[in-house]
Amino acid sequence: MVTDNKRHIVYSNRYIEEYFGYSPHELVDADLFSLLSKASQIIYEAYIVPLIAREGCCDEIRLTLVTSAEKLMPIVVSARHDSVYDRIFWSISSVSRSNQLFEKLTETKSLLEQKVSLLRTLKDTDPLTGLPNRAALTKYLDQEMLSRKRNGMAFAVAFVDLDGFKEINDRHGHHVGDKTLQLMAERLTGNLKSDDMVARFGGDEFVIFLKDCFSASLVEESLTRLVSKLAEPFKVDTLPLNLSASIGVTLYPQAKDVEPGQLIRQADQAMYQAKLAGKNQVCLFNTDNEVVQKEKHSELLAIRAAMEFGQFELYYQPKINMRTGKVFGVEALIRWNHPVEGLKGPATFLPVLSNTPTGLALGRWVITTALCQQQIWLQKGLKLQVSVNIDGYHLQHPQFLRDLSAILSDFPNLPKQLFEIEVLETSTIEDVSHVSSVLNACRLMGIRISLDDFGTGYSSLSHLRDLPVDTLKIDRSFVKNMLTSNNDLAILKGVIGFAHAFGYGLVAEGVETLQHSQRLVELGCECGQGIYIAKPMPARAFPTWIDEWYQQACQEKYKNSFV
Amino acid sequence: MLTKEQVVARNNVTIVGSGEKTLMLAHGFGCDQQMWRHLIPHLKERYTLVLFDYVGSGQSQISAFSESRYRALEGYAKDVTEICQALNLTQVHLIGHSVSGTIGLLASIAHPELFASQVMICPSPCFLNMPPDYYGGFECADIEELLGLMDRNYIGWANYLAPLVMGLENSELLTSELSDSFCSTDPVVAKAFAKATFFSDYRHLLPQAKHEALLLQSQQDSLASPDVGHYMHAHMPGSTLRLLASEGHCLHMTHPELVAQEINTWLRD
């Protein structure tokens, strides 16, 4: 079709007639607009005229044509302007191909939209549990902290670590481990509010973002509920299993500005505290804790340095038979010759060492040093039983027996039965059967075992039954009050009765006066130690003391009562 | 208030020619300032010409587009007044094509202090038929069909798909590159302009006109018929109607000399 500069049709061919019903002579001089729908007329004025004015042509523009039968028919037109004759040449074609293209493009667009959203999802999702992953968590936390600055809402971040997951993985394989993680993920999401966010941080670690947290106690309460839910027994493929979780939680906002990463670290630290405190519980992070952690760290560093500089020393307190006066042994007690603070007792530095590698190292040093001293004395003809104190955590350490035999092998000439281990903090022993087997192994080597501070811990009696021991050491608190308190005297009598019934040896601690000694002997406890006999002393002072003891002190102190 | 630089970038403002009188040329629906290219040579010797693209058209910053602002012609009128304010223009003669006649009217009523007069090329205050008093030329169904055709006509299909493929971060850069090709704007944006243009009825504004206006109407124009011209003239105080012996809706492109002559005559008086 050809039109002039006034839109009048000057020529149309037989295809126009064939498809749209207008014969060529019918169209001559007709306005092109008489063939176009109203909407097409707007497209013509708004797009085609400017395009032709600028480019001299336009391509593949979709319009609607009105046929001679007054049907609306979609068409695609292209136009070329002939500037010499000021004519426009039109090509008009069926719309089916363009329609197909349009449908395809629409399909492609929706497919692309799906794929893009799938990719976004995959990027932010942990494939195993379907939970948001660490990257998504970080992004989410950043956003929430930003919006927190605007809306002022408080929130909490909790760090969850499964207790005993590694064992499940090791014992039953990754298949069971994976299913366990999926199940725990379900329990986490199922037991939290829908607007709380749970992310898998890595391995068996999850991070929970709790919205709208009004108080620490509410947060602790809901997380404690969560802990008990997580600890419920479960099954993987009919295999009955159970584990628990330790959760650390920190609150936001805080007095000082914190970064998102710092919040996660705080929650992680609190989680570690929950583990130390015995697992299967919630521990709240507080900024004071952070200070305590830092102080603890610097104390440990100082102790390490003190070990290197040889500032630790063993003092020895004699144990005697109060009936015969015989000095049969010594208890080795650790002291710290602090360059600034002077001589420090164990109560000032042992607590911080609990459950640390430094604590274990110091324990090994004590054993070695005591054995060394014992050998020196033996070479001088002093045959003494030497006892050392070993903490519960040291005893339970998997390396303990191996370390002990290695140390002992350096002293092949020492009679093992002269060496005694005093077991401390028996009430904190968690795995009694494990400790029992360790102590048995020690006794098989010939080492003697005594229970220290006997009578103070709640579980002492069951320990008597379960732990293999040679001697009970009666706690100083009973001895101290035995002369004035009938109750303490009764306990003392009971302990002495137990020891005789089980066939254990007895040593009383805290013998402060002659009366104590005499009364103890009367009650059937012949052995004792305490300041009435002698204070703990450096090794170098011991030979002089024992000489004096035998020459006169014992006679003076015990008024020649020894047999 | 936006700075001059911000507005110039946002609306792709260009200034050509020199002269005491300032003419601001406002394009109509479907195109951009390129549509003035045939008219400019006839005017630039005598006047200072301020050209621009509405946000969403031509090489404007598409990032400035907001559906709420540009849902109605008032939003486009703000573009006009903001350009005048940022460039410190006063006594502006506003030359508006088609819907820009109405946009100019909105702008000059809101900020009469900025303008001196209006020239409306093929204007229409309402494109819809409002029987029995007024026939704008179109039924709602025609406009619905227009929106459908626009969807199918987008030369800028790449525009439509690319933001998805490339991610949102790059889309602005890409869109501005693609906008170089004539008339290929974002379909969402173009349809917003179409709806604001063709579904609206601003006839009630005509009596409020605060400046003299020259109405240039084509003898044959199905988008803005002579009847529409007569209607406007009858309702606008201080208006002059000139029916030109021409066809079509884009007089300034098809008959630039004629339009220039009319403008010169108008501004001389």
Side-chain angles (χ1 to χ4, degrees):
Chain A
M1 182 185 286
V2 182
T3 55
D4 67 10
N5 58 4
K6 293 185 168 71
R7 262 183 3 227
H8 291 156
I9 297 169
V10 292
Y11 168 79
S12 69
N13 67 10
R14 61 188 172 87
Y15 291 107
I16 302 281
E17 182 170 17
E18 202 173 301
Y19 286 109
F20 309 118
Y22 298 106
S23 66
H25 68 266
E26 196 181 348
L27 286 184
V28 167
D29 247 11
D31 184 353
L32 177 63
F33 273 16
S34 65
L35 304 188
L36 295 181
S37 73
K38 286 279 188 178
S40 304
Q41 293 172 17
I42 298 178
I43 297 275
Y44 183 93
E45 297 287 9
Y47 293 107
I48 295 177
V49 172
L51 273 169
I52 286 176
R54 184 185 150 120
E55 315 271 329
C57 65
C58 67
D59 282 311
E60 297 193 8
I61 295 197
R62 174 74 183 253
L63 297 173
T64 308
L65 187 140
V66 186
T67 67
S68 67
E70 303 220 326
K71 270 191 179 165
L72 297 177
M73 193 173 278
I75 53 166
V76 173
V77 304
S78 296
R80 293 286 177 279
H81 182 236
D82 176 347
S83 54
V84 178
Y85 297 99
D86 205 7
R87 294 277 191 275
I88 299 172
F89 290 77
W90 298 89
S91 124
I92 302 171
S93 60
S94 152
V95 95
S96 59
R97 269 195 59 219
S98 139
N99 257 1
Q100 273 175 7
L101 188 64
F102 183 80
E103 302 305 333
K104 285 277 175 225
L105 274 168
T106 311
E107 273 172 40
T108 308
K109 191 189 172 207
S110 78
L111 200 67
L112 265 171
E113 272 167 350
Q114 281 171 25
K115 294 282 178 202
V116 166
S117 86
L118 184 70
L119 272 175
R120 295 225 163 102
T121 315
L122 285 178
K123 199 177 109 220
D124 287 344
T125 308
D126 167 49
L128 179 65
T129 60
L131 293 176
N133 58 18
R134 187 190 293 209
L137 169 79
T138 313
K139 208 159 49 183
Y140 183 79
L141 208 54
D142 286 347
Q143 282 168 4
E144 285 298 319
M145 285 179 78
L146 266 183
S147 73
R148 159 77 194 43
K149 286 189 175 130
R150 286 194 298 272
N151 63 25
M153 291 302 268
F155 63 79
V157 176
F159 200 101
V160 183
D161 189 288
L162 302 179
D163 308 321
F165 174 73
K166 191 176 176 298
E167 284 89 312
I168 290 181
N169 231 358
D170 291 350
R171 189 177 297 177
H172 304 292
H174 290 288
H175 162 74
V176 174
D178 284 354
K179 287 203 164 172
T180 302
L181 285 175
Q182 287 169 339
L183 205 113
M184 288 300 143
E186 278 170 31
R187 283 188 177 179
L188 281 168
T189 46
N191 287 289
L192 289 165
K193 283 184 294 178
S194 58
D195 58 348
D196 292 338
M197 189 229 204
V198 184
R200 184 173 176 211
F201 199 68
D204 60 344
E205 297 168 333
F206 300 86
V207 170
I208 309 172
F209 181 94
L210 297 138
K211 272 191 173 167
D212 307 339
C213 295
F214 302 110
S215 73
S217 59
L218 281 177
V219 172
E220 270 191 297
E221 194 185 301
S222 67
L223 289 176
T224 305
R225 251 196 326 269
L226 184 65
V227 161
S228 63
K229 286 281 178 196
L230 293 176
E232 284 173 9
F234 60 96
K235 279 185 181 173
V236 171
D237 304 337
T238 73
L239 181 70
L241 293 167
N242 58 62
L243 47 68
S244 60
S246 299
I247 300 184
V249 60
T250 188
L251 302 175
Y252 187 85
Q254 298 178 359
K256 283 185 192 165
D257 230 12
V258 284
E259 299 290 310
Q262 205 177 338
L263 276 182
I264 295 177
R265 277 196 300 279
Q266 289 179 349
D268 189 11
Q269 271 179 32
M271 183 279 294
Y272 184 67
Q273 294 301 317
K275 289 259 185 210
L276 285 185
K279 304 174 179 173
N280 193 27
Q281 58 188 286
V282 179
C283 182
L284 184 69
F285 178 87
N286 64 47
T287 31
D288 297 343
N289 267 349
E290 203 171 30
V291 175
V292 168
Q293 286 300 317
K294 278 183 186 152
E295 281 173 3
K296 186 177 167 183
H297 185 67
S298 63
E299 271 183 66
L300 283 174
L301 284 179
I303 290 170
R304 269 266 167 217
M307 284 173 72
E308 276 172 36
F309 293 124
Q311 291 172 1
F312 287 106
E313 184 179 0
L314 289 184
Y315 274 43
Y316 298 90
Q317 184 171 40
K319 300 177 192 171
I320 66 160
N321 184 308
M322 297 178 288
R323 199 168 58 79
T324 64
K326 182 179 163 55
V327 180
F328 65 89
V330 289
E331 178 180 359
L333 296 159
I334 194 164
R335 297 289 184 270
W336 182 357
N337 292 304
H338 198 280
V340 181
E341 297 169 37
L343 192 68
K344 294 174 71 162
T348 62
F349 58 87
L350 281 191
V352 74
L353 287 168
S354 181
N355 256 318
T356 63
T358 309
L360 297 175
L362 194 64
R364 288 193 295 271
W365 178 86
V366 167
I367 296 171
T368 312
T369 310
L371 287 168
C372 208
Q373 188 59 53
Q374 191 176 28
Q375 182 159 282
I376 291 168
W377 282 330
L378 199 62
Q379 282 162 0
K380 289 183 178 173
L382 265 176
K383 192 177 176 188
L384 288 165
Q385 190 194 83
V386 175
S387 66
V388 295
N389 295 287
I390 300 294
D391 266 304
Y393 71 85
H394 193 181
L395 212 53
Q396 292 175 83
H397 193 269
Q399 289 286 337
F400 177 76
L401 278 174
R402 201 178 307 170
D403 288 349
L404 182 65
S405 4
I407 297 170
L408 285 170
S409 68
D410 289 338
F411 305 94
N413 301 322
L414 278 181
K416 304 279 190 298
Q417 62 276 11
L418 284 183
F419 189 63
E420 183 174 273
I421 288 175
E422 298 195 13
V423 181
L424 283 171
E425 289 179 36
T426 49
S427 60
T428 65
I429 291 174
E430 288 165 33
D431 190 346
V432 174
S433 68
H434 174 67
V435 170
S436 171
S437 68
V438 169
L439 295 181
N440 259 327
C442 290
R443 293 182 84 206
L444 283 174
M445 290 185 227
I447 296 168
R448 294 170 56 85
I449 305 294
S450 68
L451 285 187
D452 207 4
D453 305 333
F454 186 78
T456 53
Y458 290 112
S459 48
S460 295
L461 282 182
S462 62
H463 285 164
L464 266 190
R465 183 193 61 207
D466 298 329
L467 297 178
V469 296
D470 299 288
T471 305
L472 301 183
K473 293 192 77 178
I474 305 172
D475 189 69
R476 65 183 67 245
S477 61
F478 306 117
V479 177
K480 190 181 175 208
N481 299 324
M482 62 184 278
L483 301 176
T484 52
S485 158
N486 283 332
N487 288 342
D488 283 329
L489 184 64
I491 292 175
L492 197 66
K493 284 179 181 169
V495 172
I496 292 168
F498 273 129
H500 289 158
F502 282 95
Y504 297 152
L506 268 174
V507 176
E509 292 175 319
V511 178
E512 291 178 0
T513 62
L514 177 62
Q515 288 89 336
H516 285 110
S517 288
Q518 288 170 337
R519 193 80 180 94
L520 282 163
V521 172
E522 282 168 28
L523 291 169
C525 174
E526 295 185 350
C527 299
Q529 66 186 89
I531 56 170
Y532 183 67
I533 300 153
K535 287 182 184 171
M537 63 192 82
R540 61 181 178 280
F542 188 77
T544 318
W545 176 85
I546 200 168
D547 283 351
E548 275 179 22
W549 174 260
Y550 282 130
Q551 278 166 25
Q552 65 184 101
C554 72
Q555 298 302 330
E556 282 168 15
K557 289 195 175 189
Y558 283 89
K559 303 205 162 57
N560 300 317
S561 64
F562 294 137
V563 292
Chain B
M1 202 174 99
L2 295 166
T3 65
K4 181 180 171 184
E5 287 71 27
Q6 284 171 324
V7 170
V8 166
R10 186 188 69 178
N11 287 98
N12 186 28
V13 178
T14 47
I15 297 173
V16 290
S18 57
E20 240 175 73
K21 290 179 175 166
T22 303
L23 273 57
M24 190 170 178
L25 307 182
H27 66 82
F29 163 75
C31 265
D32 60 15
Q33 59 182 277
Q34 294 285 344
M35 74 193 309
W36 301 109
R37 60 205 295 262
H38 297 298
L39 187 61
I40 290 170
H42 301 283
L43 299 176
K44 69 175 180 190
E45 305 300 330
R46 285 181 206 219
Y47 313 108
T48 303
L49 305 178
V50 179
L51 305 164
F52 71 97
D53 298 332
Y54 288 113
V55 167
S57 301
Q59 294 185 58
S60 64
Q61 282 175 339
I62 198 119
S63 57
F65 183 80
S66 115
E67 279 201 81
S68 60
R69 169 165 165 153
Y70 295 102
R71 193 169 45 204
L73 297 184
E74 280 82 351
Y76 299 86
K78 268 195 184 169
D79 279 15
V80 172
T81 54
E82 282 170 3
I83 292 166
C84 292
Q85 286 162 340
L87 270 65
N88 224 357
L89 306 176
T90 52
Q91 293 293 308
V92 172
H93 299 276
L94 192 61
I95 319 289
H97 173 233
S98 188
V99 69
S100 275
T102 307
I103 294 172
L105 193 56
L106 282 163
S108 66
I109 290 170
H111 288 277
E113 75 280 3
L114 301 174
F115 302 97
S117 80
Q118 264 200 280
V119 175
M120 301 183 180
I121 304 170
C122 305
S124 172
C126 172
F127 289 93
L128 293 174
N129 295 329
M130 296 288 181
D133 311 323
Y134 182 83
Y135 290 88
F138 298 89
E139 298 295 336
C140 280
D142 298 326
I143 308 306
E144 299 291 354
E145 192 203 337
L146 170 70
L147 298 175
L149 281 177
M150 282 173 73
D151 264 341
R152 287 165 181 267
N153 265 323
Y154 266 96
I155 314 159
W157 268 109
N159 263 2
Y160 197 26
L161 296 174
L164 270 172
V165 181
M166 299 181 67
L168 292 167
E169 297 80 6
N170 299 323
S171 64
E172 195 184 320
L173 180 74
L174 182 83
T175 311
S176 68
E177 276 173 17
L178 286 174
S179 297
D180 285 340
S181 60
F182 189 49
C183 286
S184 59
T185 41
D186 187 298
V188 175
V189 172
K191 275 164 77 180
F193 200 6
K195 286 178 195 167
T197 301
F198 293 106
F199 281 129
S200 62
D201 180 0
Y202 285 96
R203 285 177 295 155
H204 61 280
L205 285 182
L206 299 174
Q208 302 171 32
K210 292 188 163 61
H211 302 88
E212 294 195 325
L214 170 66
L215 313 176
L216 297 179
Q217 213 78 29
S218 206
Q219 270 176 358
Q220 262 193 33
D221 180 358
S222 53
L223 266 71
S225 68
D227 284 349
V228 170
H230 286 301
Y231 181 95
M232 290 181 75
H233 178 51
H235 290 82
M236 262 177 95
S239 65
T240 304
L241 175 65
R242 296 277 297 152
L243 271 180
L244 304 184
S246 58
E247 311 76 29
H249 189 61
C250 300
L251 287 182
H252 54 308
M253 304 189 90
T254 53
H255 303 75
E257 304 89 349
L258 204 56
V259 172
Q261 199 185 320
E262 291 291 337
I263 291 173
N264 283 331
T265 312
W266 173 252
L267 293 179
R268 203 177 301 134
D269 297 340

